[in-house]
Amino acid sequence: MVLTSSYNRGVRRLLSSASRNNLLSLRHHRPNYNYTNASRIMFSSASSAEVADANIEPAFEDRIKPRVLILGSGWGGFTLARRLNKDLYDVRVISPANHFLFTPLLPSTAVGTLEFRAIQEPVRTIEGLGHYYQAKARDIDSTKQIVTCQDLYKGVKFDVEYDYLVVAAGMKSNTFNTHNIERLEGVVVFFLKHLFHARQIRNRIVECFERASNYTIPAVQRDRLLTFIVVGGGPTSCEFMAELHDFITKDVKKWYPELTKHIKLVLVEAGPGILGSFDKALSEYYLQKLKEKNIDVRLNTAVAGVDERYIDGEQITVARFADGTEINFGTMIWSAGLSPVKMISSSDFKLNRSRIVVDEYLRVPETKGRVYALGDCAASPDELPPTATVAEQQALYLADCFNKYYSAVDVTDEKNKDDEIPLPGNVTPYLMPFNALNFLNNVFCKAAPQFQYKNRGAMASMGFGGGVTDLKHTDLPSPKTTMSGKASYLVWSSTYLTKQLSLQNTILIPMYWFKAWMFGRDISRF
């Protein structure tokens, strides 16, 4: 049967006193259904409790505020969802990840320096959020203003209507069609972009040491299991390698002393150097420090493929390189490029290098100002890099545009449906990395209607007590210089600690740092 809008409103009143826990428990018993649109749901069969639960959402045509639909919960999507004025907009988020991930600290969780819970913020903690859908966006119809989604658990497809759409879906790891990388992903090859990737890596590392410690294992297998290859020379790859080295020298050496002589760490980069976006002197400094840690760094070396072979009756995995060399390995961390998610690559939007083309206002052309894109998946006119700071600044800019200017247009009125949204007025760029210093943005920056990116510098840690900081090209009111060693580590740790979004994580992170420094990292596998 089709449930009417008036029935929806009656059910919502009846549910107003129901507890959130009761509603969540009902969702586990939801029947199969097909969405005809965001406000009407067609059921094959349903109990009254199930019907009541499924119709919490109001009919789209009954909305009293414009709906802003955000695809993604990363730096761009999550920041925008938090900053939009909920008194002006009905803000909704669609993302397969029900949390925001503080990506700069992700490598630390893969070896137990930090725990996973300390670097994530649940989407549902966003104050005033209209709704969150844990689903994947599969198709966008910008003419009808509908996004077709697929439920993450049952695979059921449903439609969500919008007044404004912001695509902040990010990008996925690029395998460059390298032989066997995708097939062996999650087995011996691991990406490092999401929280579940870090958990997989952590379990795999501990598994390799536990298996290698068994006295019955053949020598060829022991050496293979204890060989770790990291592919890519960017900050994530280098920071993970430094964290892995710390874990081995400070924890593995203590608990698996007989295995340390078998461990081999290899960093592979297809280009001529690591940390290519940093000052050359800093890149060379970092490279030298890695070599001093007995890490085998191979530059100008591309991975040609991964093979599975048998040696002395034992199945092993072998990394083949373009220069003809080979290495038996037990774990490969792949962090060597980005590629578009399926929804973007199959969309009707104009793409540039697999990213959605946007103008200087972050608008997608030919959508009348109703569709925007930001972050890694957006190709802006000034070709900005796919980094967290770019996505964050774009989200802050777009939030100001919506809160200050776009709210003047009543897009819920059918008379304005086909009107072009006027361009925004002046918006001050967000130079300062901390909210407490936002008042200085007006002092050091000139406002303009277009998005303006401000360089805040670049940082990369090198485990406890080390790192590099590049401020040579920063727009911050600071000396145009570089730092390395302990001074850089102090800047890196204090900056990311103060950028946490919750008091809970601001407390947890230094506690875990102290725990790892004083008592060591956790070596449990779970």
Side-chain angles (χ1 to χ4, degrees), residues 206-279:
V206 177
E207 175 193 340
C208 286
F209 281 105
E210 291 295 351
R211 290 174 60 186
S213 66
N214 193 315
Y215 70 92
T216 64
I217 196 169
V220 65
Q221 282 285 28
R222 179 177 290 109
D223 291 338
R224 177 189 75 87
L225 288 169
L226 299 182
T227 297
F228 301 88
I229 300 177
V230 178
V231 181
T236 299
S237 301
C238 292
E239 289 180 333
F240 172 76
M241 182 57 84
E243 289 279 358
L244 181 58
H245 178 269
D246 277 3
F247 174 63
I248 288 171
T249 55
K250 293 180 174 63
D251 300 286
V252 170
K253 187 176 181 180
K254 177 181 178 181
W255 301 112
Y256 306 92
E258 74 283 4
L259 298 180
T260 53
K261 63 182 179 181
H262 298 279
I263 299 171
K264 185 174 184 180
L265 305 181
V266 183
L267 179 69
V268 180
E269 165 57 34
I274 61 173
L275 300 179
S277 61
F278 284 68
D279 179 76

Side-chain angles (χ1 to χ4, degrees), residues 10 23 73 246 261 285 296 333-334 340 395 470 478 488:
L23 292 177
S73 56
D246 277 3
K261 63 182 179 181
Y285 168 83
D296 181 8
I333 312 302
W334 187 278
D470 186 358
S478 65
S488 177

Side-chain angles (χ1 to χ4, degrees), residues 95 184 217 278 289 310 361 440 461 507 514:
S95 175
L184 295 175
I217 196 169
F278 284 68
K289 288 296 182 181
Y310 284 89
Y361 307 97
L440 294 176
S461 72
I507 295 173
F514 177 78

Side-chain angles (χ1 to χ4, degrees), residues 80 145 158 175 275 338 361 405 421 441 522:
L80 178 61
Q145 297 183 189
F158 60 96
T175 65
L275 300 179
L338 300 172
Y361 307 97
Y405 303 108
I421 303 300
N441 292 327
D522 184 16

Side-chain angles (χ1 to χ4, degrees), residues 106-374:
L106 184 60
S108 298
T109 65
V111 296
T113 304
L114 292 176
E115 290 299 326
F116 307 110
R117 65 178 64 87
I119 66 166
Q120 59 87 27
E121 299 286 350
V123 172
R124 292 187 183 275
T125 61
I126 297 175
E127 186 175 354
L129 185 68
H131 197 70
Y132 163 69
Y133 310 83
Q134 189 166 26
K136 291 184 178 181
R138 293 303 190 189
D139 183 63
I140 299 172
D141 188 332
S142 57
T143 302
K144 296 181 179 179
Q145 297 183 189
I146 291 176
V147 175
T148 300
C149 308
Q150 187 172 21
D151 171 73
L152 200 63
Y153 300 100
K154 296 293 186 178
V156 177
K157 289 189 176 181
F158 60 96
D159 293 336
V160 181
E161 298 180 77
Y162 65 83
D163 292 302
Y164 295 103
L165 176 67
V166 181
V167 184
M171 302 187 84
K172 63 181 181 179
S173 298
N174 192 347
T175 65
F176 304 100
N177 294 318
T178 306
H179 180 64
N180 270 342
I181 295 299
E182 288 191 8
R183 188 177 73 83
L184 295 175
E185 194 266 322
V187 182
V188 292
V189 178
F190 303 88
F191 301 140
L192 188 53
K193 281 188 66 66
H194 302 289
L195 212 54
F196 71 89
H197 289 151
R199 185 184 293 275
Q200 287 179 330
I201 293 169
R202 186 163 163 183
N203 282 337
R204 176 61 180 177
I205 291 172
V206 177
E207 175 193 340
C208 286
F209 281 105
E210 291 295 351
R211 290 174 60 186
S213 66
N214 193 315
Y215 70 92
T216 64
I217 196 169
V220 65
Q221 282 285 28
R222 179 177 290 109
D223 291 338
R224 177 189 75 87
L225 288 169
L226 299 182
T227 297
F228 301 88
I229 300 177
V230 178
V231 181
T236 299
S237 301
C238 292
E239 289 180 333
F240 172 76
M241 182 57 84
E243 289 279 358
L244 181 58
H245 178 269
D246 277 3
F247 174 63
I248 288 171
T249 55
K250 293 180 174 63
D251 300 286
V252 170
K253 187 176 181 180
K254 177 181 178 181
W255 301 112
Y256 306 92
E258 74 283 4
L259 298 180
T260 53
K261 63 182 179 181
H262 298 279
I263 299 171
K264 185 174 184 180
L265 305 181
V266 183
L267 179 69
V268 180
E269 165 57 34
I274 61 173
L275 300 179
S277 61
F278 284 68
D279 179 76
K280 186 176 181 180
L282 290 179
S283 300
E284 292 177 349
Y285 168 83
Y286 205 109
L287 176 62
Q288 182 59 36
K289 288 296 182 181
L290 291 179
K291 291 181 177 179
E292 291 176 6
K293 298 175 185 290
N294 293 320
I295 296 172
D296 181 8
V297 181
R298 302 190 177 195
L299 303 178
N300 298 305
T301 303
V303 178
V306 173
D307 296 335
E308 294 175 292
R309 302 176 188 169
Y310 284 89
I311 297 180
D312 298 332
E314 294 289 328
Q315 184 178 8
I316 63 170
T317 45
V318 182
R320 291 184 290 106
F321 302 110
D323 60 4
T325 58
E326 298 180 345
I327 295 179
N328 301 344
F329 73 93
T331 304
M332 176 182 287
I333 312 302
W334 187 278
S335 181
L338 300 172
S339 64
V341 296
K342 186 177 180 180
M343 181 268 297
I344 291 177
S345 60
S346 62
S347 71
D348 294 331
F349 298 136
K350 182 180 179 181
L351 304 181
N352 178 14
R353 292 181 301 173
S354 301
R355 302 165 74 186
I356 300 174
V357 173
V358 297
D359 60 18
E360 58 268 37
Y361 307 97
L362 305 182
R363 298 184 175 196
V364 177
E366 301 178 3
T367 60
K368 300 180 180 180
R370 304 302 179 95
V371 182
Y372 302 79
L374 52 82

